[in-house]
Amino acid sequence: MTMRAVTIKKFGGPEELALETVAVPTPKEGEVLIRVHAIGVNPVDTIIRQGWFGPRTFPFILGMDVAGVIEKVGPGVKGYKAGDRVYTFDTVSGGYAEFAVASVTRIGRFDNKLSFAQGAALGVPYHTAWKSLYFRAQAKKEETILIHGGSGAVGIAAVQIAKANGHFVIGTAGTKAGLDLVLKEGANLAFNHREEGYIEKIKEATKGKGVDVILEMAAGVNLTKDVDLLAKRGRIVVIGSHGPVENFHPQSLMLKEVNVMGVALMTATEEEWTQVKNGVESLLKKGVLKPVIAKEYKLGEAAQAQIDIKSNSGTLGKIVLDATK
């Protein structure tokens, strides 16, 4: 049995992505085979494509986030069956394909209130947001959260999660459409991070105290400003960075006793995976998590999707591939 899949034969630019016909993978012990309907495109996919997390055996298939229906369960799988509607945030075989294998520990159910495209937006964005807020930043309910870059997939996930858990939420975006989206998804306040004086506006909004936690999508640009925005003993979680931080002075961390930390979703232990997944799915069951889809592409348009996700135009939500087209 064969399937269409987007493969890569060497590290490089988006032109290395090629739509080919390959064999359908077989699930092993503790794994399931998913008939893929939609695939989430993540910035980390572009980094892997360039070789940052090599070495790998070529050719291979990119992609972590998929949503679809279980086609077959492997030996030892309990609690899931063929026909179940599921998403995964860590494929074994690669996600840019019509079928994908995933460990049963890395899948979850979602009902038909969400589309398959929305299901494909649940994995990496929402689990990264939860891990950033509650494992790395240890955010408390009474604290103010700033999501610096709130209109992207992880940003929207963080806004929805933080609001649902009772935080005062401030978001930033670089366009009016982005600001409108951040507010629509639950932020109490939104500011344009491309406008002069937005730092002072946020300080005024917090009555000079500053914010307690910042989730940062572009640390290379914003880290120095973030430290200025923090309250005493505030925390910055670096989720993304466009290049190095220029002219950053570590002394700025000292007086406020600031913590700056990174987050990488795939470093989670099995216990942490379970807790993060339970946290996300508890809100999913309440119906308060609703991924926003920026644009859908055909499977063969994966290269263009990756180009667009790395552009500076300000993506409003999640970019998704339709595996059925």
Side-chain angles (χ1 to χ4, degrees):
M1 188 174 174
T2 60
M3 66 178 184
R4 294 182 305 143
V6 177
T7 66
I8 178 171
K9 294 183 172 65
K10 66 177 181 178
F11 294 127
E15 68 278 1
E16 299 302 333
L17 300 177
L19 184 64
E20 297 186 334
T21 299
V22 301
V24 172
T26 301
K28 298 177 182 177
E29 180 83 21
E31 295 178 344
V32 300
L33 177 66
I34 301 169
R35 182 182 289 272
V36 178
H37 286 250
I39 304 139
V41 180
N42 295 297
V44 71
D45 298 345
T46 69
I47 296 173
I48 294 170
R49 186 200 70 226
Q50 295 173 72
W52 281 56
F53 298 123
R56 290 171 181 263
T57 300
F58 294 102
F60 70 90
I61 301 169
L62 286 167
M64 301 162 67
D65 279 333
V66 306
V69 176
I70 292 179
E71 181 80 4
K72 181 180 179 181
V73 298
V77 171
K78 297 180 180 179
Y80 291 91
K81 65 184 185 306
D84 284 351
R85 183 183 172 98
V86 296
Y87 71 94
T88 181
F89 38 89
D90 185 19
T91 61
V92 173
S93 60
Y96 289 21
E98 292 179 308
F99 290 89
V101 167
S103 167
V104 72
T105 64
R106 298 290 196 272
I107 65 174
R109 290 185 178 85
F110 69 105
D111 62 33
N112 57 14
K113 292 178 182 178
L114 298 181
S115 67
F116 282 111
Q118 288 177 302
L122 285 171
V124 170
Y126 283 82
H127 291 74
T128 297
W130 188 282
K131 185 180 181 185
S132 299
L133 284 166
Y134 303 115
F135 277 84
R136 301 300 289 139
Q138 296 286 304
K140 300 175 180 62
K141 186 175 181 178
E142 67 274 11
E143 292 186 314
T144 298
I145 312 294
L146 170 64
I147 296 140
H148 214 160
S151 61
V154 177
I156 289 170
V159 168
Q160 292 178 357
I161 289 170
K163 186 64 176 180
N165 284 331
H167 300 287
F168 188 88
V169 182
I170 301 173
T172 76
T175 65
K176 183 181 184 303
L179 294 171
D180 290 344
L181 180 59
V182 168
L183 291 170
K184 179 184 176 184
E185 296 308 314
N188 298 87
L189 299 170
F191 297 92
N192 190 327
H193 52 228
R194 292 179 179 169
E195 289 184 354
E196 290 291 332
Y198 82 93
I199 297 292
E200 294 307 316
K201 290 180 180 178
I202 294 176
K203 287 181 179 179
E204 289 173 12
T206 62
K207 297 181 172 57
K209 175 180 178 291
V211 299
D212 300 293
V213 173
I214 298 176
L215 302 193
E216 181 53 71
M217 314 300 168
V221 177
N222 298 320
L223 189 60
T224 299
K225 301 172 186 175
D226 289 344
V227 174
D228 187 33
L229 272 172
L230 282 178
K232 184 178 180 181
R233 295 182 180 172
R235 290 89 72 203
I236 300 169
V237 182
V238 176
I239 297 174
S241 180
H242 304 303
V245 180
E246 303 291 344
N247 301 316
F248 179 74
H249 298 286
Q251 295 96 321
S252 63
L253 308 177
M254 297 166 62
L255 187 60
K256 291 183 180 178
E257 295 186 330
V258 168
N259 286 341
V260 180
M261 63 198 81
V263 65
L265 183 59
M266 294 307 165
T267 63
T269 64
E270 287 300 322
E271 181 181 356
E272 289 172 345
W273 269 120
T274 300
Q275 291 182 46
V276 170
K277 180 182 171 183
N278 288 346
V280 170
E281 293 193 351
S282 68
L283 296 182
L284 195 58
K285 290 175 183 177
K286 293 178 181 179
V288 296
L289 303 185
K290 297 178 181 178
V292 174
I293 305 304
K295 188 175 180 179
E296 294 186 52
Y297 298 74
K298 296 177 182 178
L299 183 60
E301 297 173 332
Q304 187 60 52
Q306 288 201 356
I307 291 169
D308 291 349
I309 204 171
K310 292 295 288 183
S311 73
N312 293 320
S313 59
T315 301
L316 304 179
K318 182 77 168 181
I319 286 178
V320 174
L321 303 178
D322 186 337
T324 69
K325 296 180 180 179

